[in-house]
Amino acid sequence: MKYQQSSHALAPSFLKLGACLVYEALVIIALLLVSTAVFVLIFGNSANGIKRTLMQLFLFITVGVYFVWCWQKSGQTLAMQTWHLKLVNKEAHLLSLNVAIARYVLACMSLMLFGLGFLWAFLDRDRLFLHDRLLKNRIIYVPRNTTS
């Protein structure tokens, strides 16, 4: 099943995308709290110096592993499963490791630029985030199977 470039039939609404982003933020906050606690228990006070830099790198990698693993395994993070969204490439397959890593890095860069890559979806004809447009991916709505 290839997606069509200009089809909005599979594109989730902005409400679903926004709700998914909020839920994703809550999941990431919880992951960061646990990861920070583990780091501090192992290495002690990490408020400044090299320990602070190492902790930031550790947290960046931890969140990256979460996203990349989810996108490769099922195309869905916990939030995406809840909102019935799935990340696929233009052939409707799961992302490769390199593309998933590139997506994570580009999405992080977008956040550092005041979320401009996410706001891009309001201008994009297919409601794609800028990093998905560049990498030829898309988030699609996958309705729940209602057959009994």
Side-chain angles (χ1 to χ4, degrees):
M1 163 181 101
K2 287 188 180 184
Y3 73 80
Q4 296 176 3
Q5 281 295 95
S6 61
S7 172
H8 287 282
L10 298 175
S13 68
F14 287 120
L15 183 63
K16 274 193 184 292
L17 286 173
C20 187
L21 284 172
V22 169
Y23 190 165
E24 204 72 76
L26 296 173
V27 171
I28 294 307
I29 288 169
L31 178 63
L32 290 173
L33 286 171
V34 170
S35 300
T36 300
V38 168
F39 189 90
V40 170
L41 283 172
I42 294 171
F43 297 104
N45 182 5
S46 303
N48 49 40
I50 189 72
K51 283 186 185 179
R52 179 181 174 147
T53 304
L54 289 175
M55 183 175 72
Q56 290 171 338
L57 182 61
F58 172 73
L59 295 176
F60 177 77
I61 291 170
T62 300
V63 172
V65 167
Y66 164 73
F67 278 117
V68 169
W69 183 75
C70 288
W71 294 334
Q72 277 204 287
K73 180 181 177 229
S74 65
Q76 297 177 299
T77 61
L78 181 60
M80 293 170 82
Q81 289 174 24
T82 301
W83 289 100
H84 307 287
L85 304 178
K86 187 172 185 175
L87 179 64
V88 295
N89 65 16
K90 65 183 175 181
E91 289 85 26
H93 296 118
L94 298 178
L95 304 187
S96 68
L97 177 62
N98 290 339
V99 172
I101 291 170
R103 186 178 195 271
Y104 175 67
V105 171
L106 289 173
C108 288
M109 290 170 59
S110 171
L111 285 174
M112 289 187 282
L113 295 172
F114 310 104
L116 291 177
F118 291 96
L119 295 174
W120 174 270
F122 288 104
L123 303 174
D124 191 275
R125 70 181 182 277
D126 297 319
R127 293 185 224 147
L128 299 178
F129 299 130
L130 181 58
H131 44 274
D132 287 329
R133 173 64 66 197
L134 294 172
L135 296 171
K136 297 179 173 65
N137 303 322
R138 81 177 301 124
I139 297 174
I140 59 171
Y141 174 67
V142 184
R144 192 177 316 168
N145 187 358
T146 56
T147 59
S148 355

